[in-house]
Structures are given as C-alpha cells and as structure tokens.
C-alpha cells in the first residue's frame, strides 16, 4: 500500500506541476492529493512538498484554513472557462459539452465557496 501511495503522490505532483502551465488541469487538487498520499506513506516527501518554495504555499494556505488568494481564484476560474469555452467550440458532441459545462459550473462554485486568503 505504501508504494501505491507513493506512486499516486508522485503522479499527482507531476500533474499538479503540468497544471501550472495548462489551464485544463487543476494544480491545487493534485498537490493536495499528493500531500495526503505522502502524509500516509513518506514523512520525508510530505515535508519536502509542504516546504517546497513554489508548491508549498498553496498547500499550506489551504490546509491551515486561510483560504485561496483572490488572484488565484480569478486566474483559475478565468482560465478554466476560457479552456472549457474553446473545448465546447471544438467538440461537436452535445453530451461532452454538457459534461464540460457542468464540471466547470461545479468547480467554479467550489472555488468561489472557499475562503479568500487575505494577504497583509
């Protein structure tokens, strides 16, 4: 089980990093999944991820209950809707469009529901 959690953790880190550059992939959920997997399988990798200079703040802010920065919310929702809009234009299948739009609405609602991080 430990090796499975490590594999899922590293896959999630990789997908989270790719998600920084591709708006279709969400970064924070993958990093949170990686942190959860590492917490149960490797304290060393968990500490590395949580204390990472670029990836760590997203995890720490969320886990501490401080929330998501407003800039991050706007960026995530804007890029998600732009990519979903382009995908809906390019994909002719009605059921696929409904699925993409439903997913975008649900993810947007979840992001908006999260506490907004107030930076001093």
């Amino acid at each position: 089980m430990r090796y499975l959690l490590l594999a899922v953790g590293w896959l999630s880190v990789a997908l989270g990093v790719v998600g920084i550059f591709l708006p279709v992939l969400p970064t924070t959920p993958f990093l949170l999944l990686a942190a959860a997997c590492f917490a149960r399988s490797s304290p060393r990798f968990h500490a590395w991820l949580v204390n990472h200079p670029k990836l760590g703040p997203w995890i720490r802010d969320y886990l501490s209950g401080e929330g998501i920065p407003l800039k991050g919310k706007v960026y995530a929702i804007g890029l998600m809707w732009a990519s979903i809009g382009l995908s809906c234009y390019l994909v002719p299948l009605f059921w696929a469009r409904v699925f993409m739009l439903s997913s975008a609405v649900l993810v947007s609602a979840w992001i908006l529901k999260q506490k907004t991080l107030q930076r001093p």
Side-chain angles (χ1 to χ4, degrees), residues 102-116:
S102 300
S103 298
V105 167
L106 293 172
V107 171
S108 295
W110 182 84
I111 290 172
L112 292 171
K113 188 179 101 175
Q114 301 304 305
K115 184 177 177 183
T116 302

Side-chain angles (χ1 to χ4, degrees), residues 9-27:
W10 282 113
L11 177 64
S12 297
V13 168
L15 290 173
V17 170
V18 170
I20 293 171
F21 305 103
L22 293 176
V24 179
L25 284 176
T27 299

Side-chain angles (χ1 to χ4, degrees), residues 1-2 17 23 28-29 38 42 60-61 66 72 75 79 98 101-103 116 118:
M1 185 55 113
R2 179 175 185 260
V17 170
T28 304
F38 289 156
S42 173
R60 287 192 304 270
D61 289 342
E66 293 180 35
Y75 180 75
L79 285 177
V98 169
L101 291 171
S102 300
S103 298
T116 302
Q118 303 295 326

Side-chain angles (χ1 to χ4, degrees), residues 5 12 34-35 54-55 58 63 74 79 112:
L5 288 171
S12 297
K54 298 291 183 191
L55 305 176
W58 290 344
L63 294 177
V74 170
L79 285 177
L112 292 171

Side-chain angles (χ1 to χ4, degrees), residues 32-82:
L32 291 174
L33 177 60
C37 289
F38 289 156
R40 289 164 182 76
S41 63
S42 173
R44 180 174 61 127
F45 290 144
H46 182 264
W48 169 82
L49 183 60
V50 171
N51 295 313
H52 191 276
K54 298 291 183 191
L55 305 176
W58 290 344
I59 298 166
R60 287 192 304 270
D61 289 342
Y62 183 81
L63 294 177
S64 69
E66 293 180 35
I68 302 170
L70 180 60
K71 182 179 176 182
K73 286 183 173 186
V74 170
Y75 180 75
I77 291 172
L79 285 177
M80 178 183 60
W81 278 100

